[in-house]
Amino acid sequence: MSIEYTPGPLLEASRTTPTALWNDSADPDELSQSISFGGVGATCNPTIAYTCINQKKERWLPRIAELAEEMPEASESEIGWQVVRELSIDAAKLLEPIFEEHKGRNGRLSMQTDPRLARSAKALADQAEEFSKLAKNIIVKIPATATGIEAIEDATYRGVSVNVTVSFSVPQAITAGEAIERGLKRREAEGKDISTMGPVVTLMGGRLDDWIKIVAKRDELFIDPGHLEWCGVAALKRAYQEFQSRGLRARVLSAAFRNVMHWSELVGGDLVVSPPFKWQKLINDSDYQVEPRIDVPVAPEIMKTLLSIPEFVRAYEPDGMTPQEFESYGATRRTLRGFLQADADLDALVRDVIMPSPER
């Protein structure tokens, strides 16, 4: 594959540091442009998948109609998820040459398990295994809940490269990283290959920012609002340090961008950053000078503010939450509800195609 690269800070960082750039969308047009910035992978989730389909109605609505004919007994959800499969397979093809070059560590396209399966570890692991077989470079998202942690270990043991999602905190990241490690070690003990597996553990820094801002407003905290922009950055830096010190082989992944620091403050680390394309365009069009900052601590006055907020401390300290508390954490519930709504939105879009309103 011949790539016409676009000079800028993203390409420079990808060439001079171990920090990998992935695109936060499976949209083939955006992904192609991200690859020109040095991108070597892509992430997706139910919300992003629905947005991609909704924005390319001229392509996907006729395909939905065809699928309804091909699958006469399928539910709206089954048809919608088949579209997600096809969207993901198309995007995965763009990344196959990178996958081969990086021997499985990059060049991966993320698919997310159905959030409606979140209560069953077996159902999550089974779907993860099914999705992983759609293309050789698929990586599958499983949520960092207590049930999800069980599924993450099981899916890893089955040979699935997992991208941990619905994860906002250091304890979630560590627990998920350790589950992946157990799965890898079980495969190794049985002589099974792990050489091309490329697991990552997402920490959705921007969604942690969102949640702590809600908490600060709810609790009427008198603090510098600018300091709250650093919640996700602080948690990501701490998670990266913990992964390095504990020897966890999965890489940390920064997602849910809310500001450029979710990239710039992590450059230099052997990790993945996954900005939406609009953030990549903003960064690459700037005159920012690339500087490794992963080991630069967050300013003491900012950390003093953040550590005065108990809800942030729960997300920052490695033992701040138990796995049983992950699902009840505010950021987790908000995100899972959003993903469930995206599923419902996709069902409604399919419904409008296969059973249009008689009043229109």
Side-chain angles (χ1 to χ4, degrees):
M1 179 177 69
S2 177
I3 301 171
E4 185 174 340
Y5 289 104
T6 304
L10 290 174
L11 187 62
E12 182 182 349
S14 74
R15 290 179 169 176
T16 62
T17 78
T19 309
L21 173 69
W22 290 13
N23 186 58
D24 196 19
S25 170
D27 180 271
D29 295 334
E30 291 186 356
L31 180 53
S32 295
Q33 293 178 75
S34 178
I35 290 171
S36 80
F37 293 157
V40 290
T43 56
C44 200
N45 63 41
T47 303
I48 295 170
Y50 169 73
T51 300
C52 289
I53 294 165
N54 197 43
Q55 290 179 344
K56 297 285 180 67
K57 288 182 178 178
E58 70 283 357
R59 176 181 181 185
W60 292 113
L61 295 194
R63 181 57 184 148
I64 289 170
E66 290 175 357
L67 288 169
E69 292 291 329
E70 295 170 12
M71 306 162 61
E73 297 184 3
S75 67
E76 295 166 351
S77 178
E78 289 168 334
I79 293 171
W81 274 90
Q82 182 57 30
V83 173
V84 172
R85 287 180 178 88
E86 294 182 9
L87 170 71
S88 301
I89 290 169
D90 287 350
K93 289 177 183 175
L94 294 173
L95 292 164
E96 278 188 12
I98 296 170
F99 175 83
E100 298 293 346
E101 179 186 350
H102 289 248
K103 300 183 180 355
R105 198 163 190 257
N106 292 305
R108 290 190 174 273
L109 185 283
S110 291
M111 288 186 70
Q112 183 155 332
T113 47
D114 189 335
R116 288 170 288 199
L117 302 180
R119 293 163 60 85
S120 169
K122 183 179 185 303
L124 289 170
D126 287 348
Q127 189 176 66
E129 186 174 18
E130 184 240 316
F131 284 172
S132 72
K133 294 176 180 177
L134 292 175
K136 59 185 176 182
N137 58 330
I138 294 287
I139 188 170
V140 186
K141 287 186 169 183
I142 299 176
T145 60
T147 300
I149 296 299
E150 183 181 344
I152 287 163
E153 179 179 345
D154 185 14
T156 300
Y157 168 69
R158 299 189 200 187
V160 177
S161 286
V162 171
N163 178 352
V164 176
T165 189
V166 193
S167 172
F168 321 90
S169 68
V170 176
Q172 283 178 292
I174 292 172
T175 303
E178 290 176 341
I180 289 170
E181 201 65 28
R182 290 193 299 272
L184 292 173
K185 288 178 178 177
R186 286 170 59 194
R187 285 186 65 80
E188 288 175 313
E190 296 180 12
K192 295 177 178 177
D193 184 36
I194 66 166
S195 63
T196 61
M197 294 177 70
V200 295
V201 177
T202 294
L203 199 157
M204 305 174 89
R207 289 180 181 263
L208 178 60
D209 291 355
D210 295 344
W211 175 238
I212 300 303
K213 289 174 185 177
I214 290 170
V215 169
K217 183 177 180 179
R218 180 195 69 192
D219 296 348
E220 299 182 331
L221 302 180
F222 186 81
I223 53 178
D224 184 333
H227 290 184
L228 300 181
E229 299 295 329
W230 290 85
C231 297
V233 170
L236 280 155
K237 285 178 180 278
R238 181 72 181 273
Y240 180 75
Q241 292 167 355
E242 291 291 337
F243 271 51
Q244 298 303 299
S245 66
R246 295 167 188 251
L248 300 178
R249 285 175 280 186
R251 283 179 293 173
V252 172
L253 184 150
S254 167
F257 272 54
R258 298 296 185 269
N259 59 62
V260 294
M261 296 185 301
H262 292 143
W263 171 75
S264 63
E265 285 291 323
L266 305 176
V267 169
D270 183 13
L271 46 72
V272 179
V273 288
S274 183
F277 183 74
K278 67 176 184 179
W279 282 103
Q280 293 177 53
K281 188 80 166 56
L282 185 153
I283 293 167
N284 223 51
D285 287 347
S286 75
D287 59 0
Y288 180 80
Q289 299 298 307
V290 173
E291 174 189 356
R293 293 190 59 82
I294 185 65
D295 295 324
V296 177
V298 176
E301 64 271 20
I302 295 175
M303 288 306 303
K304 183 178 179 180
T305 297
L306 300 184
L307 292 172
S308 72
I309 306 170
E311 196 73 348
F312 173 78
V313 175
R314 293 180 69 200
Y316 184 73
E317 295 296 340
D319 59 355
M321 285 186 279
T322 66
Q324 288 67 38
E325 295 176 292
F326 293 166
E327 191 167 344
S328 63
Y329 191 62
T332 304
R333 288 191 173 178
R334 294 183 80 236
T335 301
L336 283 174
R337 286 176 62 86
F339 288 167
L340 288 165
Q341 182 59 53
D343 262 351
D345 291 341
L346 183 56
D347 287 351
L349 188 148
V350 172
R351 186 180 313 129
D352 283 343
V353 174
I354 66 177
M355 190 183 296
S357 170
E359 299 173 3
R360 293 180 181 175

